[in-house]
């Protein structure tokens, strides 16, 4: 069966510090991968998606970037965090159009 | 741009009350429709989905949703809620011309009072 992992689960970072959130998927090959941000009362905002290694599409211009160095690994990064980057970050993979979500990372930028 | 609207942001019900959460989406051709649920402290998980066929879809835990094409709606229903249904509910739409991309509504927080 397929599983999706995210780490860390929670993170508190100062403004201006770098960020690296990791997502890995097991049990499937060549998945489509997604990064979302969930802000209170605003639903899920798609940040990036990837259809293969090295292929990244950005949905929202912002302070973040994504990379896919391996087939089942998806990384969300920032060089300098802003206060507005605080939120709950979810990784997902899809089979057809059904998406399966990881446990998320709660990021607080102080 | 294609959009998904959930008009109820917060809903408070007593146990055994009936539930209906609204979901409307913008026109954009053929769609696949989903309801996801996020229980406190848990992963976002699929409640039910519609791809084709019977527009009344049965999901887990007694939930159902009805696709009404003419109204661009996919409302979620449950005849009798339980305290354990307290969660946040998200409607999501995949337009067939958008690959596997999902667009989510803003979510509805449901609190069920015992």
């Amino acid at each position: 069966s397929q599983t999706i992992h995210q780490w860390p689960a929670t993170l508190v970072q100062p403004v201006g510090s770098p960020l690296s959130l990791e997502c890995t998927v097991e049990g499937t090959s060549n998945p489509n991968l997604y990064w979302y941000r969930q802000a209170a009362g605003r639903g899920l905002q798609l940040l990036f998606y990837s259809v293969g290694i090295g292929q990244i599409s950005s949905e929202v211009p912002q302070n973040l970037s994504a990379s896919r160095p391996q087939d089942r690994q998806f990384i969300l990064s920032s060089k300098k965090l802003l206060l507005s980057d605080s939120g709950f970050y979810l990784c997902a993979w899809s089979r057809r159009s059904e998406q399966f979500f990881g446990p998320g990372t709660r990021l607080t930028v102080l | 741009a294609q959009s998904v609207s959930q008009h109820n942001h917060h809903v408070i019900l007593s146990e055994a009350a009936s539930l209906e959460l609204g979901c409307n989406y913008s026109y954009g051709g053929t769609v696949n429709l989903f309801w996801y649920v996020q229980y406190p402290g848990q992963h976002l998980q699929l409640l039910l989905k519609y791809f084709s066929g019977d527009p009344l879809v049965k999901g887990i835990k007694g939930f159902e949703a009805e696709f009404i094409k003419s109204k661009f709606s996919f409302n979620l229903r449950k005849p009798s809620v339980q305290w354990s249904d307290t969660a946040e509910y998200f409607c999501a739409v995949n337009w067939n011309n958008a690959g596997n991309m999902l667009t989510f509504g803003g979510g509805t927080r449901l609190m069920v009072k015992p």
Side-chain angles (χ1 to χ4, degrees):
Chain A
S1 63
Q2 299 85 11
T3 55
I4 180 168
H5 304 279
Q6 285 186 247
W7 64 89
T10 59
L11 189 61
V12 180
Q13 291 284 97
V15 168
S17 63
L19 173 74
S20 180
L21 303 182
E22 191 162 343
C23 170
T24 58
V25 181
E26 297 176 358
T28 186
S29 59
N30 197 30
N32 287 355
L33 296 172
Y34 309 82
W35 276 111
Y36 289 90
R37 178 166 55 207
Q38 184 179 7
R42 295 177 60 186
L44 277 73
Q45 179 187 35
L46 179 64
L47 302 175
F48 302 95
Y49 69 95
S50 171
V51 299
I53 295 174
Q55 300 179 62
I56 308 294
S57 295
S58 173
E59 288 296 299
V60 182
Q62 59 208 316
N63 186 41
L64 302 169
S65 62
S67 62
R68 186 169 177 175
Q70 300 180 43
D71 181 46
R72 288 169 288 177
Q73 184 184 31
F74 203 24
I75 296 172
L76 183 69
S77 303
S78 174
K79 292 182 179 177
K80 286 186 177 182
L81 284 168
L82 305 172
L83 285 174
S84 57
D85 292 323
S86 292
F88 190 54
Y89 290 84
L90 289 166
C91 180
W93 70 276
S94 68
R95 177 171 56 214
R96 293 181 64 187
S97 56
E98 181 176 348
Q99 294 189 9
F100 302 88
F101 289 84
T105 295
R106 174 77 58 193
L107 172 66
T108 303
V109 183
L110 301 175
Chain B
Q2 292 155 334
S3 63
V4 180
S5 298
Q6 292 181 242
H7 304 295
N8 312 104
H9 299 295
H10 292 89
V11 174
I12 301 174
L13 295 173
S14 298
E15 276 194 314
S18 64
L19 170 71
E20 181 160 2
L21 302 183
C23 173
N24 289 89
Y25 59 92
S26 58
Y27 173 76
T30 306
V31 293
N32 298 319
L33 302 162
F34 305 84
W35 275 98
Y36 284 86
V37 61
Q38 190 172 33
Y39 297 103
Q42 295 190 28
H43 294 210
L44 201 65
Q45 57 186 280
L46 184 70
L47 259 185
L48 48 79
K49 59 188 176 185
Y50 171 82
F51 286 148
S52 63
D54 188 343
L56 185 61
V57 179
K58 304 286 187 183
I60 60 171
K61 303 186 180 186
F63 286 91
E64 64 179 31
E66 185 174 11
F67 170 47
I68 303 181
K69 189 175 180 180
S70 60
K71 294 185 178 181
F72 303 99
S73 70
F74 190 55
N75 292 356
L76 181 71
R77 300 193 292 247
K78 186 170 183 178
S80 177
V81 294
Q82 301 172 320
W83 175 79
S84 58
D85 294 322
T86 295
E88 190 160 16
Y89 294 81
F90 294 93
C91 180
V93 178
N94 163 249
W95 282 269
N96 282 7
N97 62 4
N100 287 339
M101 307 293 290
L102 287 182
T103 299
F104 283 83
T108 298
R109 287 190 180 272
L110 171 66
M111 179 184 296
V112 180
K113 297 188 291 185

